[in-house]
Amino acid sequence: MQYDEFERRAQEEWERIPEQYRAGVDGLVVKRSALPHPSLPDIYTLGECVTESYPSDFGGPDTIRSVVVLHYGSFLRLSRLDPGFDWDGELWETLTHELQHHLESLAADDALVDMDYAADENYKRYQGREFDPFFYRRGIPEGEWLRAEDEFFLEMQATPGDTVTFAWDEATYEVTIPDHADGDVAFLTVVAGVHEPPGALHLVVRRPPGGWRQRLGGLLRPQPPRVVEGEVHVRRRSP
């Protein structure tokens, strides 16, 4: 898609958003530039919400002003990496995502910032790079699960050989923790047994705490947790 066509569609999609949700946003700016991630390859920032706050005794659209910025070059580069890139879908998702940043600024809510952090750390995990092993805790709670984009994480305490149960989509499943999940933290991706899962389901298995001598030793000799990863097949129990 050429820049002029992209800019026209962006303005049309922006006008589709009800005016009350755009309160406090001074406008939409479309830049030709690409904005690559500072450290992660092939990751580009599609949009930004540039927000400024003005001193006041109360918050709201008159004291918090934003501008939504789209980076056409980032869309273009991602389209070259993905032959199935959905320009219209990504454009709408980016606009609403950045607008949510503005609305959360009005509410002093950091949920979206936490989601972005979790998504970045999860990407590092997939790349085999060093990552925060508890990044998923910054995801959005959905029942017992925590969501980072379209991936779901469920934290539990268990040891290899234990059989554990969990609930997903109104059904109960069980799985035996495999021998290779012997780290302090194990990311076990459910690859079979769940009907129509989302982007991914991960069971995050933490080693149960030991006795007081082990806990004291950990305090005296702090070490980063040993992280392992693997795949599991689960069995449906009910209904």
Side-chain angles (χ1 to χ4, degrees), residues 105-167:
S105 295
L106 296 179
D109 186 350
D110 292 329
L112 203 57
V113 175
D114 287 343
M115 170 68 85
D116 288 344
Y117 174 82
D120 275 358
E121 293 299 305
N122 195 32
Y123 182 80
K124 292 178 185 177
R125 181 177 70 87
Y126 278 117
Q127 293 294 307
R129 304 176 60 183
E130 184 176 349
F131 66 95
D132 174 3
F134 302 111
F135 68 86
Y136 56 89
R137 293 178 177 175
R138 303 274 290 271
I140 296 176
E142 297 198 6
E144 295 182 325
W145 296 79
L146 293 165
R147 177 172 64 84
E149 295 188 312
D150 63 345
E151 302 193 18
F152 291 76
F153 300 81
L154 179 64
E155 182 177 311
M156 60 180 62
Q157 289 189 349
T159 57
D162 290 347
T163 296
V164 298
T165 62
F166 65 91

